[in-house]
Amino acid sequence: MGLHPLEFSECYLDSPAFREKIKAHEAELDKTGRFIKELYKDGKNLINATKQLSLAQKKFAQCLGEFKFEYIGDDKTDDEKCIDESLQEFSSFLRNLEDQRDLMMRNITETLMKPLEKFRKDQLGSAKVKAERKRYEKETEKYYSSLEKLLNMSAKKKEPQLQEADMAVEVMRQHFQVSSLEYVCKLQEIQERKKFECVEPMLAFFQTVFTFYHQGYELAKDFDHYKKALQINIQNTRSRFEGTRSEVFELMKRIKDSPQEYRQTSPISSEGYLYVQEKRPPPFGSSWVKRYSTFVKEQKILHMKTFDQRSGGKLGETESVTIKSCVRKTTDTLDRRFCLDIEITDRPITVLTVQALSDDDHRFWMHAMGGKEPVRQSFTSASNIDAQLDDLGISFVKNSINAIETRGINDQGLYRVVGVSSKVQKLLSFMIVDEKSCEIDLAASEDWDVKTITSALKLYLRSLPEPLMTYELYKEFIVPAKSATPESRVQAIHCLVHKLPERNRLVLSLVTKHLAKVAANSKQNLMTVANLGVVFGPTLMRPQEETVAAIMDLKFQNIVVEILIEQHEKIFGDAPSSSPSLAATPLSAPTRQSKSLSRQNRPLAVYNPQVVTLMKAKAVYPCEAEHDSELSFQVGAIFHDVTLSREPGWLEGVLEGKRGLIPENYVEIL
């Protein structure tokens, strides 16, 4: 497994696992920085050695050019003249060769050395990144220190004093969260950049070398197809990076505006920090210890782990208790705010007192553990476009496609150049609401320009209550985009398209057939299949939850759309003869790419994780662990205490006393 995405919502929980993820990202960037530094040093040695060779060659050429044969007699024969001139030609050839070598060295410096060093200094080791890191650590210290002071403040102080203290901590919290968001965003941006910022200079370096070596001409030709392919890959990666970065910034902005709406919760558990009161023998009173707490709702178990960000992130012991009841504790009985009294099942006499971080956090924990405090409900603002996949909507799609193909199929940047927002909204609102709009032929109308029509079409598809390729099938479409063989990708997507509702499949066919025509005119409009994939990936399919991990799947969305465009006739022609699972039933163990495939046509039971928590499973394929968290096993191995994992496509179970991850499609439930 690669690096875990750093979810913006985790910036607000600031969990131990999140801090470990940040450390992993920082370690990876440090490793990349050391690699580039060592490569830069070796490159300098190569350049210096080549310069020494060039000086020797030039001296040799000078020696040839200065030497002249002396002949007896008054004149030279033609043979003698050629012999005499040959040394000058050799000298000229070597001088020209060394001029090219000098040019090559300058090019290497410009295309390899400087870009790598610039990337290392500007991105991996820039003062700005270090400043953001220091700011993040500083804001962490300031916020948690001020939070402890606030929580230790007497509730009997005057209300203005309490309000002023609350406001001060809130300001520090906001500063801390903003610095956390920005630092996390910067880390992930650099991780994504390195994929092309490091490889692209190397590509330019090899092109320079192949150009210089005449005897390497054939090798350069052999490399040419790879060079072109890599150039396309880099361009596609760069384009997807830009799209991904814009989506990430939009998500970060929304989370900045409404952090509580994106707090990570699930039907199974809730988590966050609580201060736990630990009583000591007289006369020492009690102390309050900050613990990262996870409450498993079904089992009513509260897991508490001691952790302090300021102590280098060292983990303490974990304590687990089963909760019988939870009661809000008033300030009449304890001079601290936001407190709860928790009655423990296995210790009837013991009452555990905990303190939440704020009033909102207090209500959150009360609701999670069965209290009576109200919980602020999150909401998602509705779009002002009431787009539906009805007859009017389908008519608008056909009308728009006809107009675009008639009037603007060769327009440069088609679908990338956007129309004026107010005009786009006006056109779309009219076309999908008024039944008389069917009488309007956009191909013949001069009231709407092509970029307004293309933008309105994209907005319509994005405003549907559910994307054309449906939330239900989203993950199944993503899986084949990650598979190894092009044939299996097309086969899987062919089957999935014919699982879509009829109207969805009809509109998807209309759109992708149109995009195929756009791509066929890419020499004029500059919109290749790859460019259209970038534009329409998030338009035709999107996940139900907005997370950084989902945004990182944008590149796979693009691949799916590219396949739909390139293989349009096959996919939307005849229905598949059968509906196999996304990969054909293997004769040997499934590949790791298929770990999250659907369980269709397999004996794995369909169950509800809230109802069934512990199961037994049997291995039907052997598996070799690729990570410390995974289990290795042979066919026939029996797993105990099997549960669903948070990692899609994986289970957790116990084998020979060790608990770890199991690929879901390697086992059958007993």
Side-chain angles (χ1 to χ4, degrees), residues 254 258 261-262 377-383 471 544-546:
R254 290 195 295 272
S258 305
E261 294 180 20
Y262 290 86
Q377 298 294 330
S378 62
F379 64 94
T380 303
S381 58
S383 171
Y471 292 131
Q544 200 156 9
E545 294 185 19
E546 291 185 289

Side-chain angles (χ1 to χ4, degrees), residues 393-407:
I394 296 176
S395 174
F396 167 67
V397 172
K398 292 178 179 178
N399 199 345
S400 300
I401 288 174
N402 180 52
I404 296 163
E405 292 180 356
T406 302
R407 297 167 52 193

Side-chain angles (χ1 to χ4, degrees), residues 7 115 185 227-228 261 290 302 363 505 512 620 651:
E7 298 293 351
C185 186
K227 179 199 71 175
K228 291 178 180 178
E261 294 180 20
K290 183 177 67 175
L302 181 65
R363 287 197 294 268
R505 187 168 65 252
T512 52
V620 293
L651 303 171

Side-chain angles (χ1 to χ4, degrees), residues 195-291:
K195 290 187 287 188
F196 51 83
E197 295 282 8
C198 291
V199 176
E200 199 168 35
M202 294 300 302
L203 178 63
F205 163 77
F206 279 104
Q207 181 58 34
T208 301
V209 172
F210 289 138
T211 302
F212 168 74
Y213 287 108
H214 178 70
Q215 293 182 348
Y217 175 70
E218 289 298 326
L219 179 60
K221 282 205 308 184
D222 293 339
F223 179 78
D224 191 57
H225 75 282
Y226 174 75
K227 179 199 71 175
K228 291 178 180 178
L230 186 55
Q231 285 174 331
I232 293 172
N233 292 337
I234 290 173
Q235 182 58 44
N236 291 345
T237 303
R238 186 184 293 276
S239 299
R240 290 166 186 158
F241 163 75
E242 295 297 336
T244 301
R245 185 172 65 168
S246 64
E247 292 284 342
V248 168
F249 274 107
E250 283 297 320
L251 177 59
M252 183 176 72
K253 182 178 181 297
R254 290 195 295 272
I255 291 182
K256 280 183 179 179
D257 295 339
S258 305
Q260 288 300 324
E261 294 180 20
Y262 290 86
R263 178 166 186 169
Q264 282 194 330
T265 59
S266 75
I268 300 173
S269 64
S270 300
E271 51 188 309
Y273 281 101
L274 289 171
Y275 279 76
V276 181
Q277 185 183 36
E278 295 187 353
K279 296 181 180 179
R280 297 180 179 180
F284 299 106
S286 62
S287 62
W288 293 82
V289 179
K290 183 177 67 175
R291 293 188 171 184

